[in-house]
Amino acid sequence: MTRPSTPPILSELRSPSSPATQIAALRALKNEIIGHEQKKETWVGLGVVTPLARILNTHKASGKRKYKDINGPADQSYQPRGRTEEEEARLQALIIVGSLAQGGPAYLSPLEAGSVYRPILAILNPTESHPQLILAALRTLNSIADSLLLELQGTSYAESSFLQQLYMDQHLASLLAILDQSSPALIVQQQISLAAALITKSCREEFQRVALAQAGLLEALAYKLASFVIITEHALFNTPGEAAVPVSGISPATTKSQLSPILQAIGTIISKSKVRTKQFISSPVFAEVFPGAELNYEHSPTSQNGYGGNTYFVSPFAHSGTNSPRRESSLANSGFPPLGAFSVAAANNRGSRNYNSAVENIPHEHLYGFGSSESPLVTWLVHVVRAETGVTRLMAAWILTILHCMGFANHRKEVAPTPVMVPLLVCMLDKDFRVDPLMDSYDDSLLQTPDWLIKEHAPAVLSMLVEDQLQLQQAAVDAGAIKMLSRLLRQSYDPLPNNSKPSLWTPNPLGSNDITAQETLSASRLGAPGLSVLAYHVLRMRESVLIALAALATAKDDYRKAIIDNGVVSFVIESLNPHNKSPPTQAEVSALSSIGNPIPVLLAACAAARALSRSVNTLRTSLIDAGLATPLFVLLKHSDVEVQIASTAVVCNLLLEFSPMREVRFRPKIRKPPETNVMQTMIEKGILEILCEHAHSINAKLRLNAIWGLKHLVNTASNELKVKCLEELGPGWLKQIISNDHEDTLFGSSLRGERDLDHSLPLSMGTPNAAGEQVDLLNAIDEQSAESTQADEEDEEDEVHMIDSIGPLSKQESHSTKYHISLLNSDNRRNPAGERRGMRHYADAESQADVQTRKDDIAVQEQALKLIQNLICGPNSDHMIDHVFREFGQEKFFDILATRLLPKFPDLYGRDRKSSDRILKQTPPPTEIVKAVCYIVVHIAAGSAKHRQQLMSQHELLRLLVPLYSHPSKEIRVTCAWLVINLTWADDSGDKHNCKLRAHELRKLGVYEKLEQMEHDDELDVRERTKTALHQMNELLRS
């Protein structure tokens, strides 16, 4: 059978008879495939990609005609010359490739194999390419980026060949040149908007954000944002119809300019980095457009914020100088006008597709920002949030939220700007909320549909805003956020229409009969279908909603109950199912029937499950009954380490035992609560082995969560399970974890000589020295973190806690005075409130990573010590204390504990200075480590009489404990009092003599004098425990 001949169009593309005929063939091909998916597949199978790549490559040999006139003055009328035949051919080829890319992820494989990315990226330079070519190239690249987002999980997003080429220096320089254009021409403004959209779509990883900032694109975006500030100012201070003039060489935005893509690109780059956020807000351009800004506070006695405080406003354009013509206008003593005033102004100008239309008719007296000491940019962004609608409002709220979370908005007046945004963001979640699709961007991608963008991003912005902010959480709940978010989550599981399209049958699937090269062969085959556009939107919305629900469920049980009452628990658990490894069919992809959830959704679902599981009632009823544990076991073994970390954090809450008796801190007797079916099931499925394996991970976060879970697991476990846990971990490994002095690489005693300054530094530096005195060190305690944690604790006092695992560890009745100190404090539910606050000093990204590593090291050591604490407590603890002594070596174990209490001496000058020039300053160990060591010592003292005698023989350890009786931490002082109580307790008459000797030895160490001082402690708990300790000591000393 004779194979069909090559189509004439393809023959002309491969061997053109003339440029005109080639252009005609390209146009014919373009008209045939646009809007026809089956013909796209046919032409790719025929091998059309390779000749298209050759046509695009002619740019390199075309002489690179210069187009420097495009960067002329802003007021110059721009009229580009006509295109050459080669340029016209490349333009048609770009349109064809863009149409193929719009076919979805399946077309990325032949496009990559055909090597079309490199020549397209080479066209981006505005000084070397025709503006129509640049615009077409940007549209094509955006289509490629859209299809890349639709790819199913498999390889890393950052490993894409397209992204690797896009983020090369020369191509980032081309994007920078596009953003730097100042011409008001429509085609230039379209290029700028599409370049910003490309940045938003392509930037997903941290190294990409860093590359964009270092290449100068963040600065260029700041200049573009400043152009909108200028036009806003001009609309308020000048006569209508008067043309805006540049300010300090910065051209004002025009009616053709688009603000939302600029804001979205800025948010993408500065997110998750305080350094980049400071780089953005400190851009010199803002000093130009806000010269000599004065904080012009206007107090409105009648304007009260939602929490009972007064609201202060400041005009963002209250300048001390006069850099541009302005009309004098009195500042009225009224606050922001009703939101409708801005909405009407925007609605009346909706058809203009520009930003300044929404503000050009707003009276000057209505434009006030919130008075604070932050940058005037914050004030201007608040105005944009209130004045604009749709995606522009959302993106301005996103930037403002990032600035707020990073500490660049005045936290002392945080009730000023943020409650304004909460109802606006919640309103965007309403099912009846609609946006004009023509308002926000030149990007016509379905992924950039305004309604979809808002449903995908608004919940995430809301979660950032309310995270760890109880007042804002209440405002969101009062506005109906939980109900709307629950509806969106349920909606994300509605069946999707099956939009699969059957392939066009052909007897020659590989196309022409002259395909010989392997490169051409691979360029003729489609790849995996990936997700449909609607399925991608649904998954993005699901992820965002789960993150928002997690943020609202972290603090109050009432909010968790409201979430559960809205019937979303089953959907949260369903979101924990990962996608299948086998490639799905097109029908499965379109319907989302069996592909499961990608990694971002899994992480968000774990966050929601972890937040909901902080409630005892929630765990007992809804989550456990719905089968939360089953999908978690799958995620614990997931190939992605971030999923393992998130799922292990959820397991930490599931491993807690619940019993009504455990709500009392110090019970007279210990009774082991019966194991629940869930706990027994998890043990039978091998949770111990999984957590022990994770504990040996090189990832610090996974190691920390695993040890945390093991700490909970052995809390009320039998001695057999505890012994097995220690064997699985390895006594040598655990000893190394708790004995490894993470600070010794930087800190050490003065006898250790040279120290390596490139290693760990403890972060909790505001801790007492050996004398119990507070030391102000380089990194002080994060006050915001402390305040946030304190607020959480105060708010949770009236709630049903996850269980205060500081258990009743005494062997005596209620009248007895010998107790074990608690094991698991109120930190059983890992509260990341303090962890999310920024560092006090600005540093580069590498420094931040080093600091986080040091924090992780200290946290791992703290939890390892608490694990040992749990191993030696509970019923029959004497056996476990002896077992730990045997495994570690008794003297070695006590030496490790003593070493953890020793102060350190940092080398403040470095290794290159002579030892005689060095200044040594005593640095205390972290309070968390000291507290954990004290608990272990108290548990040992609560053992048998033999263990108390063994502890009393450790003179160095006891000497190091004496200064802790005046420690600033209330909990450590209470623990020291319990230590005396346990050491002066006699089990029977046979131990009476040794008990007296212990009392006299404690008095020699100065403990009695410390207790006398503690009788007047400010804390009631400390005073009560001290009374008991002194009573026992007095009886022993008198006798």
Side-chain angles (χ1 to χ4, degrees), residues 877-887 946-947 950:
S877 61
D878 296 351
H879 170 72
M880 285 307 303
I881 294 175
D882 290 335
H883 181 73
V884 170
F885 283 171
R886 286 194 302 270
E887 294 294 334
K946 177 185 69 173
H947 299 138
Q950 290 172 335

Side-chain angles (χ1 to χ4, degrees), residues 122-167:
I123 296 175
L124 290 180
N125 193 330
T127 64
E128 298 178 352
S129 300
H130 193 281
Q132 287 288 354
L133 285 178
I134 296 174
L135 183 61
L138 286 169
R139 285 174 173 162
T140 299
L141 293 173
N142 272 274
S143 297
I144 294 172
D146 288 337
S147 293
L148 189 61
L149 291 173
L150 299 179
E151 280 191 323
L152 285 171
Q153 300 294 329
T155 59
S156 171
Y157 182 84
E159 294 176 358
S160 164
S161 171
F162 167 70
L163 294 180
Q164 290 176 356
Q165 295 182 55
L166 175 62
Y167 279 83

Side-chain angles (χ1 to χ4, degrees), residues 195-264:
L198 181 61
I199 291 172
T200 300
K201 296 173 185 179
S202 64
C203 184
R204 288 292 183 272
E205 303 291 340
E206 178 64 19
F207 77 91
Q208 294 171 331
R209 301 185 187 97
V210 173
L212 290 171
Q214 291 179 347
L217 275 84
L218 181 58
E219 188 77 12
L221 290 168
Y223 269 81
K224 288 303 170 186
L225 189 63
S227 67
F228 292 95
V229 177
I230 295 173
I231 199 63
T232 305
E233 180 181 10
H234 173 79
L236 295 170
F237 289 93
N238 293 273
T239 304
E242 183 180 348
V245 297
V247 175
S248 299
I250 305 169
S251 300
T254 69
T255 57
K256 305 178 182 66
S257 304
Q258 293 290 326
L259 176 60
S260 60
I262 303 299
L263 290 172
Q264 193 171 4

Side-chain angles (χ1 to χ4, degrees), residues 53-72:
R54 294 194 187 101
I55 295 173
L56 292 172
N57 264 318
T58 58
H59 171 75
K60 190 172 184 180
S62 65
K64 295 186 178 180
R65 297 291 300 270
K66 301 298 181 181
Y67 293 86
K68 293 183 179 180
D69 56 331
I70 198 169
N71 267 325

